[in-house]
Each structure stands twice: as C-alpha cells, then as structure tokens.
Amino acid sequence: MEQTTEGEARLLAAGCPMDQAEPYGDCLTYGPGHYETWARWRRRDRTVDHALRALVRSYEYEDWPRGRIVFDWPRDLFILYADRKLLTPAPIARIETHFHLPAERTEVKSDFHCQSTETPNVLAVRRGGLV
C-alpha cells in the first residue's frame, strides 16, 4: 500500500486466477516475486498505468510493506503472509476484498521476508505495497 495525496492508502497488487497459479509444495501461489513484479511495473509498457510506473520508479520494492497470498489446497485455506505493518484490521479487510478471499477460510501470518526497510516515522507518511 502507498499513501495517496488524499491520505488514503492505495493497494498495489499483482496476482492471477487460481487456475494460473504455480505449485509451491502443497500450495498454489502467484509466480513472479516482488522484485520481478516491481521491475515489470517500472518498464515502459502500455499495460502499466503511468502513475504506478512513476511511483515505483521513485522507490525500491523493499521500501514498502508487502505480502503474498498462497492457497493451501490440502487444507482448503488461503494464507496471507505479510509485513507486520499490514496486519491490522483495515489493511487485511482491503486485501481480502481485493483478492476475494473468504475471511472464514483465510489465515493471516507475519512474514519476515516481507518486511519493509522504511523507518516508523517514514511509515506514517507513506504506507507499503502488497504483491
């Protein structure tokens, strides 16, 4: 998520339909990683919104709190792994709504791989992104 000029956090997201997800052990996940997605958003590409491209060119992907959703098919459960800065009710609800995750079948976990590099006082000005 990033902070808009109106003060609202904007979700920066990438994903795919379940039938296009890649296997990862007993789970399914979106194939490209955070770095690859950020790099694609930076390129001059007509499929990437100009405002998004300008934003990601100003920051590195590690600057933003981020996460990943996997589907654990043996347990029929979505697992949302995210930076602890995103693990509050409002961001979780926005993520569940955006990705159509059923709350009763979604487990939320902190993931140190998704931690942002920004300091707490910078976080008050801008919120991070989920890929």
Side-chain angles (χ1 to χ4, degrees), residues 63-84:
D63 293 338
W64 302 95
R66 58 199 178 279
R68 175 169 292 277
I69 300 166
V70 300
F71 180 69
D72 183 333
W73 60 267
R75 295 180 11 189
D76 192 34
L77 183 73
F78 293 94
I79 304 171
L80 167 60
Y81 293 102
D83 185 313
R84 61 181 166 72

Side-chain angles (χ1 to χ4, degrees), residues 28-130:
L28 296 173
T29 190
Y30 177 63
H34 294 107
Y35 177 82
E36 292 85 7
T37 299
W38 204 258
R40 182 179 59 81
W41 286 346
R42 283 184 164 183
R43 289 192 295 265
R44 288 194 182 269
D45 180 336
R46 291 180 188 204
T47 64
V48 177
D49 175 72
H50 176 73
L52 173 62
R53 186 171 51 246
L55 174 73
V56 300
R57 284 183 172 178
S58 300
Y59 300 95
E60 295 302 321
Y61 82 95
E62 299 100 336
D63 293 338
W64 302 95
R66 58 199 178 279
R68 175 169 292 277
I69 300 166
V70 300
F71 180 69
D72 183 333
W73 60 267
R75 295 180 11 189
D76 192 34
L77 183 73
F78 293 94
I79 304 171
L80 167 60
Y81 293 102
D83 185 313
R84 61 181 166 72
K85 296 169 188 167
L86 297 174
L87 299 182
T88 61
I92 291 170
R94 288 183 75 183
I95 294 164
E96 287 176 339
T97 298
H98 180 83
F99 287 101
H100 307 284
L101 301 175
E104 69 281 358
R105 289 182 33 234
T106 302
E107 185 176 280
V108 179
K109 294 183 173 188
S110 177
D111 185 355
F112 81 94
H113 290 104
C114 296
Q115 289 180 7
S116 60
T117 58
E118 53 189 23
T119 59
N121 61 342
V122 174
L123 182 62
V125 175
R126 56 188 158 107
R127 298 292 291 186
L130 172 77

Side-chain angles (χ1 to χ4, degrees), residues 5-40:
T5 55
E6 296 82 28
E8 179 183 335
R10 177 177 163 201
L11 179 67
L12 305 179
C16 66
M18 293 277 288
D19 64 352
Q20 294 175 19
E22 293 184 6
Y24 185 78
D26 285 343
C27 297
L28 296 173
T29 190
Y30 177 63
H34 294 107
Y35 177 82
E36 292 85 7
T37 299
W38 204 258
R40 182 179 59 81

